[in-house]
Amino acid sequence: MSTPLDTEGPAAPPRSNGELVFAEPWESRAFGMAVTLYEAGVFSWPEFQTALIARITAWTASREHGEPYHYYRLWLDALEDVLAGLSAVSTDEVITRAQALAQRSPGHDHRDHAR
């Protein structure tokens, strides 16, 4: 199964010379999580696209002047929306995990603790 990624329009991921562009490692991991869950049949791609477009639309309507656009932040928010909607994960679980990750020291590498 291949992911039907948009190449144009609001849901299209950032590209450079046709290749996907990730500014930070977490962005590629968020991308990979969504693709893997889609390929596993957890949700349909149109479900995810709808959630992503809704997040982009809401951001566009409510953004502060000068606020930077973070596509993969919206991508991750859309993934959370889809998974919460399927009851695969609760909003509280997402918030708790996000808070725990935010409290880690800068430069923390989970591989250091995997031994």
Side-chain angles (χ1 to χ4, degrees):
M1 182 180 314
S2 75
T3 307
L5 288 176
D6 291 342
T7 56
E8 295 180 16
R15 294 178 185 266
S16 177
N17 295 322
E19 298 292 320
L20 293 171
V21 175
F22 304 102
E24 301 284 338
W26 73 265
E27 294 176 347
S28 64
R29 290 191 292 270
F31 178 85
M33 283 190 299
V35 170
T36 299
L37 291 168
Y38 156 72
E39 289 178 345
V42 174
F43 53 79
S44 72
W45 200 251
E47 285 176 283
F48 180 75
Q49 285 176 312
T50 299
L52 179 58
I53 290 169
R55 282 292 187 156
I56 292 169
T57 301
W59 178 86
T60 301
S62 68
R63 74 182 178 106
E64 300 287 325
H65 185 288
E67 181 183 351
Y69 178 72
H70 294 286
Y71 178 83
Y72 287 107
R73 178 70 248 169
L74 299 172
W75 175 281
L76 187 57
D77 291 342
L79 178 58
E80 291 171 4
D81 292 345
V82 169
L83 294 176
L86 295 171
S87 298
V89 63
S90 74
T91 302
D92 289 341
E93 289 173 306
V94 171
I95 290 169
T96 299
R97 182 67 177 143
Q99 288 172 340
L101 291 172
Q103 292 174 0
R104 295 189 325 186
S105 60
H108 174 82
D109 186 340
H110 66 281
R111 291 176 287 175
D112 293 340
H113 299 285
R115 295 177 197 174

